Amino acid sequence: MKNLSGGRLGLNARTSGLGMMSALLLSGCATVPPPLAERTEAPSQVESGAGIANPEIWPAYEYPVPNQPEDEAHIARLLSSMTLPEKIGQLIQADLCCVSPEDVREFNLGSILVGGNSGPYGDDFAPAPAWLSAADDFYHASVDTSDGGAGVPIIWGTDAVHGHSNIIGATIFPHNIGLGAMRDPELIERIGAATAAEIRVTGQEWTFAPTVAVPQDFRWGRSYEGYSSDPELVASYVGAMVRGLQGPADGDNLLAGPYVLASTKHFLADGGTDNGVDQGDSSISEEELRDIHGLPYRPAIAEGVSTVMVSFSGWQGRKMTGNQSLITGVLKERMDFGGFVVSDWNAHGQVAGCTNESCPQALMAGIDMYMAPDTWRDVYADLLARAETGEIPMSRIDDAVARILRVKMRLGLFEAGAPSTRPLSGQYDLLGSAEHREIAREAVRSSLVLLKNQDILPLASGSRVLVAGEGTDDIARQSGGWTITWQGTGLENSQFPGATSIWDGISSAVEAGGGSAQLSPDGSFTARPDVAVVVFGEEPYAEFQGDRETLALDNALTGPYATMQRLREQGIPVVALMITGRPLYVNPALNLADAFVVAWLPGSEGGGIADVLVGDSSGAARHDFTGTLPTAWPLTPDMDDGALYDFGFGLNYGSTANAWADLPEIEVESAGDTRVWFANGTVPSSWSLLVNGTGDEAQTRITGVPAQALSGRVRVTAENFVVQEGARRFAVAEGTSSIHLRNFNPLNLDRETNADIMLLTTLRVFDAPDSAMLGSAGDTSSGMINFPMPQTNGFVRYGIPLKCLRTRGADMTQVNLPFVLTTEGETDFAIGEVRLGMDAEVILACE
Ligand code: BGC
Ligand code: BGC
């Protein structure tokens, strides 16, 4: 891939990006609380200061789900018969990574979840029947009363955020940002219903959806999970989605019908953090908090949403998970929310005074269930100990348990029997059924937004079409994050049985009309085409990985611009088709192409794109464009420079094409992932690449190459990787040598560590050393593991889970040597890239 602008790495614009986050986290979270015995006073209930809401200024709603007298009597009976440990168990949700049916039997856990990277029986790619059989295993363990317990059945939550998106073979709907372009609540309800049905096939009862974020800064990597930046548009969808998933607002016995529990997330202002920093802080006023981010709760409550997930983020310096005024005062009391509140993945650990293992503050703030994926044993033991001493009042525990039981009763869980015996269970033909795929395809058609058309589209189906660019025949790429894997990376088309790529859709449409199509990622062709469709845009990402410094498409992804340019020079009309989770500065593509279509993240039904782009043989459209922008499109990488296209813009086949006035093009300096620490032979500004030896040997900072270090013991040269001279090669003659990446403001990688992110190092080893160690360090600690470092024929991307470095002793909150590679003896190797991520080719063992 050619890097057009020389590939400058940038942490410059938001240098503070990571630094700023660390500062926030450090001030908001004392990581080491005093031991239990020393913390005798009850968690504070009297709040004062910034970040305290005044519930009176919020709208009052009415929760429509009636409390059934029989259920209330049942709840009262259970509360009086359950032991304290059983009650605490109900408050805990563990991830499948780290819990067994035996644990559920022993600890009476209220819920399990499957995180983005987990799956039944340790297999993220487990086939559908394994999900159902695991659901049965956990269910039977939960209702086992042989130990004299109450046997409250368990519920299983999953991130079915765009279809039952963790499951191979499921229908993958467009991500929410694309749905926002449709302006069609009725279709949203059908998507919700189809998703619920697919979830029920594999036995889960609960989805962590819909995301009702109202993203205000699209540098936020989770922006695509929100429908729109417009609160009214988001609100117009939320009721429909909740109804599609859960059925009627006052509905009872959900499991008897084709329904699941919904969860609106993330309460509140996940999309309102300053600078769009994931899990960051929002400094907006309470009125903005209410009117922008609070608005979607009007329809959520009106439709009787059963659960609400609280955000990782904070408001005015206070983490939501510990904010009693918002969770209890606003949501439960003022808005009358009658379901239960679940926290996010170890989010309690970020509350001031808390750790991942201990946070009674969250319960006191109003969290009813702790998502404690891998920390559940500690959280359970801690809550139990505090309840036993009376530090946590029984009334709060009973209220939380009652809320959870009430939702379980509404679900009909006590009568439903084992998951495999319920309606729709095991009907695997419903997963990715033709009917569901047709709904998804309709959504794809309706979500496309046409930004430019100089009378090129629709393509006549009889034409000769070249399909070029990146991601043309790549279902994972067109599906984005939260698809089978957490980040949506590391997948192949074979893992999407029944799905249709963009290429599949275009080629079958033109072939059906007597035309022909050629797939050619680099744009070269054998027979001169009448027209070319050039696909380009973002690659999949989810939390953390998606945050950017600016609203520019990463430089590394602009390769297809050159293809557009070349085709244009050859006189071939170009249709640019952009896969993206957000609006980005792409003026060069808008200028180069004759037509420009935003496809967002369409999911498994790529055929919907050809339905609109390819007309009939006479060239007349089969379907028109109806999508319009769900948020403004930027003129430059900085939204402060204003919009190129306003919210609501979108052309159709009736629009008249005016002469195109070229848009300004600017050099994009700081595109790229802030978690890339070494690429294209350089480090981010204010970072250093250093070579260190032993004892008093002077360290050498490597700026240009060739260079020498350690009195000539190490020679540093350039090596090709991705781009010309994109790697640095180190030839070590003998002895100890240590390659460091140093940054002067220590990074706080705590959140990334909790999320199982990896340190990725792409290396080619020409001559293996005697031994090597790889890891990260700070001034006061280091985490290093033995690295076998075998000779390789090409570059290999090795991954070490950050968690492993923490286990090995690194303080991940204070990292100023994020990368250390120490070798012993003669060796010769090249480093191509160092970054954080999930897509390792080889995961190193953490002995
Ligand atoms: C995300 C949630 C998700 C949960 C479970 C969290 O990290 O923020 O949106 O539901 O993980 O996977
Ligand atoms: C899990 C995700 C979760 C994330 C938390 C990942 O390891 O697979 O489900 O959302 O961590 O940040």
Side-chain angles (χ1 to χ4, degrees):
M1 195 189 327
K2 193 161 153 348
N3 192 317
L4 286 178
S5 72
R8 272 194 55 195
L9 270 173
L11 284 186
N12 349 15
R14 276 204 291 176
T15 326
S16 29
L18 288 170
M20 182 170 51
M21 279 186 258
S22 356
L24 277 174
L25 284 179
L26 287 174
S27 63
C29 180
T31 36
V32 191
L36 195 58
E38 288 170 29
R39 277 199 286 172
T40 42
E41 75 239 93
S44 159
Q45 291 196 58
V46 190
E47 297 181 311
S48 62
I52 305 293
N54 171 13
E56 261 96 84
I57 71 160
W58 291 69
Y61 302 137
E62 203 178 324
Y63 194 60
V65 186
N67 282 356
Q68 310 285 355
E70 326 79 80
D71 287 352
E72 294 307 307
H74 189 183
I75 292 170
R77 281 200 308 280
L78 282 169
L79 284 178
S80 64
S81 68
M82 285 165 79
T83 61
L84 181 58
E86 278 184 287
K87 289 180 182 176
I88 302 294
Q90 285 303 302
L91 311 184
I92 305 282
Q93 181 182 57
D95 185 85
L96 238 57
C97 65
C98 310
V99 68
S100 66
E102 285 60 45
D103 295 328
V104 166
R105 189 175 286 118
E106 183 179 345
F107 294 95
N108 304 289
L109 302 184
S111 177
I112 49 169
L113 88 143
V114 63
N117 285 322
S118 308
Y121 310 110
D123 180 6
D124 196 18
F125 302 129
W131 289 70
L132 184 54
S133 105
D136 271 4
D137 295 347
F138 282 101
Y139 171 85
H140 289 304
S142 70
V143 297
D144 183 351
T145 52
S146 58
D147 57 357
V152 176
I154 198 163
I155 45 174
W156 178 343
T158 182
D159 291 293
V161 295
H162 60 147
H164 193 13
S165 42
N166 255 310
I167 303 269
I168 292 184
T171 310
I172 307 293
F173 293 91
H175 264 300
N176 286 351
I177 187 73
L179 302 183
M182 310 186 309
R183 313 294 203 276
D184 188 348
E186 184 274 331
L187 183 48
I188 292 287
E189 185 170 345
R190 284 190 281 138
I191 291 173
T195 303
E198 296 203 13
I199 297 171
R200 290 291 302 280
V201 170
T202 58
Q204 290 68 45
E205 298 93 357
W206 181 14
T207 174
F208 304 128
T211 300
V212 303
V214 192
Q216 299 299 295
D217 186 329
F218 280 72
R219 291 177 295 175
W220 184 39
R222 303 190 73 168
S223 295
Y224 67 82
E225 295 185 56
Y227 296 117
S228 169
S229 56
D230 177 52
E232 288 294 350
L233 173 50
V234 176
S236 74
Y237 276 7
V238 171
M241 184 52 100
V242 171
R243 198 158 56 242
L245 291 165
Q246 295 194 157
D250 57 354
D252 205 2
N253 208 358
L254 271 47
L255 291 178
Y259 305 122
V260 295
L261 302 174
S263 188
T264 44
K265 70 185 186 186
H266 309 81
F267 184 85
L268 192 61
D270 49 350
T273 60
D274 300 345
N275 301 314
V277 171
D278 191 37
Q279 303 189 7
D281 189 67
S282 172
S283 57
I284 57 178
S285 70
E286 186 168 356
E287 288 70 22
E288 290 170 293
L289 185 68
R290 178 192 64 195
D291 300 341
I292 300 172
H293 305 280
L295 195 72
Y297 282 84
R298 182 183 65 201
I301 300 290
E303 283 301 329
V305 70
S306 302
T307 72
V308 170
M309 188 188 294
V310 171
S311 184
F312 270 115
S313 58
W315 176 52
Q316 296 184 354
R318 192 177 290 256
K319 284 287 176 175
M320 288 290 167
T321 310
N323 196 321
Q324 189 181 40
S325 69
L326 284 166
I327 303 173
T328 302
V330 170
L331 179 65
K332 288 181 171 176
E333 291 170 358
R334 188 74 180 171
M335 294 184 172
D336 195 34
F337 171 61
F340 73 80
V341 176
V342 64
S343 54
D344 203 346
W345 187 278
N346 279 333
H348 55 266
Q350 295 185 24
V351 173
C354 292
T355 62
N356 285 355
E357 291 72 31
S358 163
C359 190
Q361 290 90 327
L363 184 67
M364 295 315 296
I367 297 289
D368 300 307
M369 184 181 278
Y370 285 75
M371 187 186 289
D374 49 351
T375 48
W376 63 269
R377 284 172 198 275
D378 293 314
V379 173
Y380 171 93
D382 181 73
L383 288 176
L384 183 57
R386 290 171 196 276
E388 275 164 351
T389 62
E391 180 188 335
I392 301 177
M394 255 335 267
S395 54
R396 179 72 269 267
I397 294 173
D398 280 348
D399 171 54
V401 175
R403 283 174 172 272
I404 292 166
L405 293 174
R406 205 167 277 130
V407 167
K408 289 185 172 182
M409 286 175 192
R410 179 180 182 201
L411 196 54
L413 190 68
F414 287 80
E415 298 80 46
S420 62
T421 66
R422 302 173 190 163
L424 306 188
S425 286
Q427 294 187 26
Y428 299 113
D429 52 352
L430 282 178
L431 272 183
S433 67
E435 193 194 332
H436 295 169
R437 289 187 190 279
E438 189 42 51
I439 298 171
R441 186 164 174 159
E442 182 181 345
V444 173
R445 286 196 293 267
S446 320
S447 62
L448 302 176
V449 179
L450 181 65
L451 295 182
K452 176 180 183 183
N453 185 17
Q454 302 303 99
D455 291 328
I456 291 302
L457 290 173
L459 309 177
S461 63
S463 35
R464 192 191 292 260
V465 181
L466 184 74
V467 183
E470 295 172 358
T472 41
D473 189 24
D474 184 344
I475 314 234
R477 178 130 179 209
Q478 73 194 38
S479 298
W482 297 107
T483 306
I484 320 257
T485 62
W486 178 36
Q487 298 287 331
T489 48
L491 297 164
E492 288 166 8
N493 281 357
S494 61
Q495 285 159 307
F496 294 90
T500 304
S501 71
I502 294 171
W503 155 251
D504 293 334
I506 295 178
S507 58
S508 54
V510 295
E511 274 155 25
S516 66
Q518 185 185 346
L519 177 63
S520 167
D522 69 0
S524 57
F525 48 80
T526 39
R528 186 184 165 84
D530 301 321
V531 60
V533 176
V534 181
V535 181
F536 78 109
E538 291 192 308
E539 288 179 331
Y541 55 77
E543 297 168 85
F544 305 107
Q545 302 296 320
D547 279 15
R548 288 293 180 273
E549 301 288 321
T550 70
L551 285 178
L553 181 66
D554 294 354
N555 280 330
L557 298 173
T558 56
Y561 292 0
T563 308
M564 294 179 200
Q565 172 82 44
R566 237 181 5 258
L567 290 162
R568 187 188 156 108
E569 282 162 7
Q570 293 168 90
I572 296 163
V574 169
V575 178
L577 181 67
M578 184 174 181
I579 300 173
T580 187
R582 53 188 148 195
L584 294 171
Y585 164 82
V586 287
N587 289 3
L590 278 157
N591 286 335
L592 285 167
D594 299 278
F596 191 107
V597 176
V598 187
W600 311 108
L601 299 168
S604 60
E605 303 319 303
I609 294 173
D611 288 347
V612 183
L613 264 55
V614 182
D616 62 19
S617 49
S618 71
R622 293 181 297 143
H623 293 271
D624 201 353
F625 285 91
T626 54
T628 56
L629 290 178
T631 188
W633 196 279
L635 176 65
T636 74
D638 184 349
M639 213 16 146
D640 291 342
D641 292 337
L644 170 60
Y645 299 112
D646 290 331
F647 170 86
F649 181 84
L651 304 172
N652 58 36
Y653 286 140
S655 314
T656 30
N658 299 319
W660 179 259
D662 268 350
L663 301 168
E665 294 186 21
I666 52 179
E667 175 92 356
V668 171
E669 286 193 358
S670 101
D673 190 333
T674 56
R675 291 170 181 83
V676 178
W677 296 335
F678 178 80
N680 302 321
T682 56
V683 291
S685 67
S686 88
W687 286 50
S688 316
L689 170 64
L690 303 167
V691 182
N692 276 267
T694 42
D696 345 306
E697 273 182 302
Q699 79 175 13
T700 307
R701 176 164 178 225
I702 307 298
T703 44
V705 281
Q708 297 215 339
L710 308 183
S711 323
R713 258 199 317 120
V714 180
R715 275 180 301 113
V716 189
T717 52
E719 187 69 24
N720 291 344
F721 175 66
V722 182
V723 294
Q724 209 178 351
E725 307 211 334
R728 289 294 168 266
R729 180 167 176 172
F730 302 85
V732 183
E734 57 178 338
T736 306
S737 127
S738 217
I739 314 298
H740 291 174
L741 288 182
R742 179 166 196 105
N743 60 308
F744 287 95
N745 303 318
L747 298 178
N748 182 346
L749 299 177
D750 205 31
R751 298 178 308 132
E752 287 81 354
T753 307
N754 285 331
D756 285 332
I757 290 182
M758 291 189 256
L759 169 67
L760 300 176
T761 305
T762 309
L763 274 184
R764 172 163 187 186
V765 181
F766 300 92
D767 179 15
D770 297 340
S771 66
M773 303 282 286
L774 183 61
S776 301
D779 284 335
T780 56
S781 69
S782 64
M784 303 284 292
I785 66 164
N786 277 320
F787 177 33
M789 210 170 153
Q791 190 176 323
T792 51
N793 284 328
F795 281 87
V796 176
R797 195 161 54 246
Y798 294 96
I800 311 178
L802 295 177
K803 235 174 217 166
C804 165
L805 300 180
R806 183 164 69 188
T807 324
R808 306 290 298 170
D811 173 359
M812 300 307 286
T813 66
Q814 294 281 343
V815 181
N816 48 18
L817 292 176
F819 171 86
V820 178
L821 172 60
T822 306
T823 55
E824 298 292 340
E826 184 182 350
T827 176
D828 182 4
F829 58 91
I831 304 177
E833 190 186 52
V834 179
R835 63 179 165 93
L836 292 181
M838 296 298 293
D839 48 335
E841 288 165 325
V842 177
I843 299 180
L844 298 174
C846 184
E847 343 86 77

